[in-house]
Amino acid sequence: MTRQIAAVLLAGAFLAPIAFADDTHHKAGATIAQADTALSDGEIRKVDKDAKKITIKHGPMQNLDMPAMTMVFQVKDPAMLEQVKAGDKVKFRAEKIGAAYIIVNLEPAK
């Protein structure tokens, strides 16, 4: 019986660091995922419904490692262009798909 208790304690001593390491990995992954989904701040400068493009003066875009600037984006869904007009403050997420920067999420700033 003493051997069984010793074996259980010994197994626990080896498995505990693995459990903590695994938990740390998941927490770090969650932080990375949150950074990847962060929205950027911007102000609409121009909406071009015919070309399905929007010009936004934006702050730094962490997910694209891009500094603040004004640029033209394509939109994933043309219906996004119906929600905004020049001068509107927005929060948005853009992704680089091929050679284009495409707005995949666009919402009014609060």
Side-chain angles (χ1 to χ4, degrees):
M1 177 113 148
T2 305
R3 284 186 189 168
Q4 291 172 336
I5 293 172
V8 169
L9 291 174
L10 187 58
F14 285 111
L15 295 176
I18 294 169
F20 287 118
D22 190 48
D23 187 47
T24 301
H25 171 72
H26 288 297
K27 288 180 184 172
T31 303
I32 292 168
Q34 289 169 350
D36 286 346
T37 60
L39 298 178
S40 300
D41 294 315
E43 181 180 333
I44 305 298
R45 295 297 190 174
K46 181 179 177 184
V47 177
D48 186 343
K49 294 178 184 175
D50 293 333
K52 299 178 184 141
K53 294 183 179 181
I54 189 168
T55 304
I56 301 178
K57 178 181 178 184
H58 63 80
M61 295 173 49
Q62 293 179 346
N63 68 309
L64 295 173
D65 195 28
M66 184 181 292
M69 65 178 76
T70 300
M71 62 185 291
V72 177
F73 296 92
Q74 295 177 4
V75 291
K76 180 178 179 181
D77 180 2
M80 292 178 181
L81 301 177
E82 300 297 328
Q83 304 170 16
V84 295
K85 65 185 180 316
D88 286 353
K89 304 278 187 192
V90 295
K91 292 205 171 269
F92 70 100
R93 177 171 170 79
E95 294 180 0
K96 186 172 183 181
I97 301 174
Y101 291 99
I102 300 176
I103 302 289
V104 297
N105 185 358
L106 179 68
E107 56 192 60
K110 296 177 183 177

